[in-house]
Coordinates of all heavy atoms in Angstrom, one line a residue:
P10 N 0.8 -1.2 0.0 CA 0.0 0.0 0.0 C 0.8 1.3 0.0 O 2.1 1.2 0.0 CB -0.8 -0.1 1.3 CG 0.0 -1.0 2.2 CD 0.8 -1.9 1.2
E11 N 0.2 2.4 0.0 CA 0.9 3.7 0.0 C 1.7 3.9 1.3 O 2.8 4.4 1.1 CB -0.1 4.8 -0.1 CG -0.9 4.9 -1.5 CD -1.8 6.1 -1.6 OE1 -1.8 6.9 -0.6 OE2 -2.5 6.2 -2.6
E12 N 1.1 3.5 2.3 CA 2.0 3.5 3.6 C 2.3 2.0 3.9 O 1.4 1.4 4.7 CB 1.1 4.1 4.8 CG 0.9 5.7 4.6 CD 0.3 6.3 5.8 OE1 0.3 5.6 6.8 OE2 0.0 7.4 5.6
P13 N 3.4 1.5 3.6 CA 3.7 0.1 3.7 C 4.1 -0.1 5.2 O 4.5 0.8 5.9 CB 4.9 -0.1 2.9 CG 5.7 1.2 2.7 CD 4.5 2.2 2.8
P14 N 3.8 -1.4 5.7 CA 4.3 -1.7 7.0 C 5.7 -1.6 7.2 O 6.5 -1.6 6.2 CB 3.8 -3.2 7.2 CG 3.6 -3.6 5.8 CD 3.2 -2.5 4.9
P15 N 6.3 -1.6 8.4 CA 7.7 -1.5 8.6 C 8.4 -2.7 8.2 O 7.9 -3.8 8.2 CB 7.8 -1.3 10.2 CG 6.5 -1.0 10.6 CD 5.5 -1.5 9.8
F16 N 9.6 -2.5 7.6 CA 10.5 -3.7 7.3 C 11.1 -4.2 8.5 O 11.6 -3.4 9.4 CB 11.6 -3.1 6.3 CG 11.1 -2.6 4.9 CD1 11.0 -1.4 4.6 CD2 10.5 -3.6 4.1 CE1 10.5 -0.9 3.4 CE2 10.0 -3.2 2.8 CZ 10.1 -1.9 2.5
V17 N 11.2 -5.5 8.6 CA 11.6 -6.2 9.8 C 13.2 -6.4 9.6 O 13.6 -7.2 8.6 CB 10.9 -7.5 10.0 CG1 11.3 -8.1 11.3 CG2 9.4 -7.3 10.2
V18 N 14.0 -5.9 10.6 CA 15.4 -6.1 10.5 C 15.8 -7.0 11.7 O 15.6 -6.6 12.8 CB 16.1 -4.8 10.6 CG1 17.7 -5.0 10.6 CG2 15.8 -3.8 9.5
V19 N 16.2 -8.3 11.4 CA 16.5 -9.3 12.5 C 18.0 -9.2 12.7 O 18.8 -9.3 11.7 CB 16.1 -10.6 12.0 CG1 16.5 -11.7 13.0 CG2 14.6 -10.7 11.9
V20 N 18.4 -9.0 13.9 CA 19.8 -9.1 14.3 C 20.2 -10.5 14.8 O 19.7 -10.8 15.9 CB 20.1 -7.9 15.3 CG1 21.7 -7.8 15.6 CG2 19.7 -6.6 14.7
H21 N 21.0 -11.1 14.2 CA 21.4 -12.5 14.7 C 22.9 -12.6 14.9 O 23.6 -11.9 14.2 CB 20.9 -13.5 13.5 CG 21.3 -14.9 13.9 ND1 22.5 -15.5 13.6 CD2 20.7 -15.9 14.5 CE1 22.6 -16.7 14.0 NE2 21.4 -16.9 14.6
G22 N 23.2 -13.4 15.8 CA 24.6 -13.7 16.1 C 24.7 -14.5 17.4 O 23.8 -14.8 18.1
P23 N 25.9 -15.1 17.6 CA 26.1 -16.0 18.8 C 26.1 -15.2 20.1 O 26.1 -13.9 20.0 CB 27.4 -16.7 18.6 CG 28.1 -15.7 17.5 CD 27.1 -15.1 16.8
P24 N 26.0 -15.7 21.3 CA 26.0 -14.9 22.5 C 27.3 -14.1 22.7 O 28.4 -14.7 22.4 CB 25.8 -16.0 23.6 CG 25.2 -17.2 22.9 CD 25.8 -17.2 21.5
G25 N 27.1 -12.9 23.1 CA 28.3 -12.1 23.5 C 28.9 -11.4 22.2 O 29.9 -10.8 22.5
V26 N 28.2 -11.4 21.1 CA 28.9 -10.8 19.9 C 28.5 -9.3 19.8 O 29.2 -8.6 19.0 CB 28.4 -11.6 18.6 CG1 26.9 -11.2 18.2 CG2 29.3 -11.4 17.5
G27 N 27.4 -8.9 20.6 CA 27.1 -7.4 20.6 C 25.8 -7.1 19.8 O 25.7 -5.9 19.2
K28 N 24.8 -8.1 19.9 CA 23.6 -7.8 19.2 C 22.8 -6.7 19.9 O 22.3 -5.7 19.2 CB 22.8 -9.0 19.2 CG 23.4 -10.3 18.4 CD 22.4 -11.4 18.3 CE 22.1 -11.9 19.7 NZ 23.3 -12.5 20.3
T29 N 22.6 -6.7 21.2 CA 21.9 -5.7 21.9 C 22.5 -4.4 21.7 O 21.8 -3.3 21.6 CB 21.8 -6.1 23.4 OG1 21.2 -7.5 23.5 CG2 20.8 -5.2 24.1
T30 N 23.9 -4.3 21.9 CA 24.5 -3.1 21.7 C 24.3 -2.3 20.4 O 24.2 -1.2 20.3 CB 26.1 -3.2 22.0 OG1 26.3 -4.0 23.2 CG2 26.8 -2.0 22.0
L31 N 24.4 -3.2 19.3 CA 24.1 -2.7 18.0 C 22.7 -2.1 17.9 O 22.5 -1.0 17.2 CB 24.3 -3.9 17.0 CG 24.2 -3.4 15.5 CD1 25.2 -2.3 15.1 CD2 24.3 -4.6 14.5
I32 N 21.8 -2.8 18.3 CA 20.3 -2.4 18.3 C 20.2 -1.0 19.0 O 19.5 -0.1 18.5 CB 19.3 -3.4 18.8 CG1 19.3 -4.7 18.0 CG2 18.0 -2.9 18.9 CD1 18.5 -5.8 18.3
K33 N 20.8 -0.9 20.2 CA 20.7 0.3 21.0 C 21.4 1.6 20.2 O 20.8 2.6 20.2 CB 21.5 0.0 22.3 CG 20.8 -0.8 23.3 CD 21.5 -1.0 24.7 CE 20.7 -1.7 25.7 NZ 21.6 -1.8 27.0
N34 N 22.5 1.1 19.6 CA 23.1 2.2 18.8 C 22.4 2.7 17.6 O 22.3 3.9 17.3 CB 24.5 1.8 18.4 CG 25.6 1.7 19.5 OD1 26.5 1.0 19.4 ND2 25.2 2.2 20.7
L35 N 21.7 1.8 17.0 CA 20.9 2.1 15.7 C 19.6 2.9 16.1 O 19.3 3.9 15.5 CB 20.5 0.8 15.0 CG 21.6 0.1 14.2 CD1 21.1 -1.2 13.7 CD2 22.0 1.0 13.0
I36 N 19.1 2.6 17.3 CA 17.9 3.3 17.9 C 18.4 4.7 18.2 O 17.7 5.7 18.1 CB 17.2 2.6 19.0 CG1 16.8 1.2 18.6 CG2 16.2 3.4 19.6 CD1 15.8 1.2 17.6
K37 N 19.5 4.8 18.8 CA 20.1 6.1 19.3 C 20.3 7.0 18.0 O 20.1 8.2 18.1 CB 21.4 5.9 20.1 CG 22.0 7.2 20.5 CD 21.3 7.8 21.7 CE 21.9 9.1 22.1 NZ 23.2 9.0 22.8
H38 N 20.8 6.3 16.9 CA 21.0 7.1 15.8 C 19.7 7.6 15.2 O 19.6 8.7 14.7 CB 21.7 6.2 14.7 CG 21.8 6.9 13.3 ND1 22.7 7.8 13.0 CD2 21.1 6.6 12.2 CE1 22.5 8.2 11.8 NE2 21.6 7.4 11.3
Y39 N 18.6 6.8 15.1 CA 17.4 7.2 14.4 C 16.6 8.1 15.3 O 16.0 9.0 14.7 CB 16.6 6.0 14.1 CG 17.1 5.1 12.9 CD1 17.6 3.7 13.0 CD2 17.2 5.7 11.6 CE1 18.1 3.1 11.8 CE2 17.6 5.0 10.6 CZ 18.1 3.8 10.7 OH 18.6 3.0 9.6
V40 N 16.4 7.9 16.6 CA 15.5 8.7 17.4 C 16.2 9.6 18.4 O 15.5 10.3 19.1 CB 14.4 7.8 18.1 CG1 13.7 7.1 17.0 CG2 15.1 6.8 19.0
N41 N 17.5 9.4 18.5 CA 18.3 10.2 19.5 C 17.8 10.0 20.9 O 17.7 10.9 21.7 CB 18.2 11.7 19.1 CG 19.4 12.5 19.7 OD1 20.4 11.9 20.1 ND2 19.2 13.8 19.8
Q42 N 17.5 8.7 21.2 CA 17.1 8.4 22.6 C 17.8 7.1 23.0 O 17.9 6.2 22.2 CB 15.6 8.2 22.7 CG 14.8 9.5 22.6 CD 13.3 9.2 22.8 OE1 12.9 8.1 23.1 NE2 12.5 10.2 22.6
S43 N 18.3 7.1 24.2 CA 19.0 6.0 24.7 C 18.1 4.8 25.2 O 17.0 5.2 26.0 CB 20.0 6.2 25.7 OG 21.0 7.2 25.3
L44 N 18.3 3.6 25.0 CA 17.5 2.5 25.6 C 18.3 1.8 26.7 O 19.6 1.5 26.5 CB 17.2 1.4 24.4 CG 16.2 1.8 23.4 CD1 16.1 0.6 22.5 CD2 14.8 2.0 24.0
S45 N 17.5 1.5 27.7 CA 18.2 0.8 28.9 C 18.4 -0.7 28.6 O 19.3 -1.3 28.9 CB 17.5 1.1 30.2 OG 16.2 0.7 30.1
E46 N 17.3 -1.2 28.0 CA 17.2 -2.7 27.6 C 16.4 -2.9 26.4 O 15.5 -2.1 26.1 CB 16.7 -3.5 28.8 CG 15.3 -3.1 29.3 CD 15.0 -4.0 30.5 OE1 15.6 -4.9 30.7 OE2 14.0 -3.6 31.2

């Protein structure tokens, strides 16, 4: 449609590789807000 649904970006990796940190940094870049978890 004209307003398409959001594209789903899945972050995958083994434990301790930095998945949560990368998501937090990308969210900080887009909305300029820090996430605690």
Side-chain angles (χ1 to χ4, degrees):
E11 293 182 3
E12 291 187 10
F16 294 108
V17 182
V18 181
V19 173
V20 183
H21 177 271
V26 78
K28 300 186 294 295
T29 307
T30 308
L31 181 62
I32 293 176
K33 287 180 180 179
N34 290 163
L35 287 170
I36 299 300
K37 179 74 181 292
H38 169 78
Y39 283 119
V40 300
N41 201 19
Q42 289 183 6
S43 299
L44 285 178
S45 58
E46 56 183 346

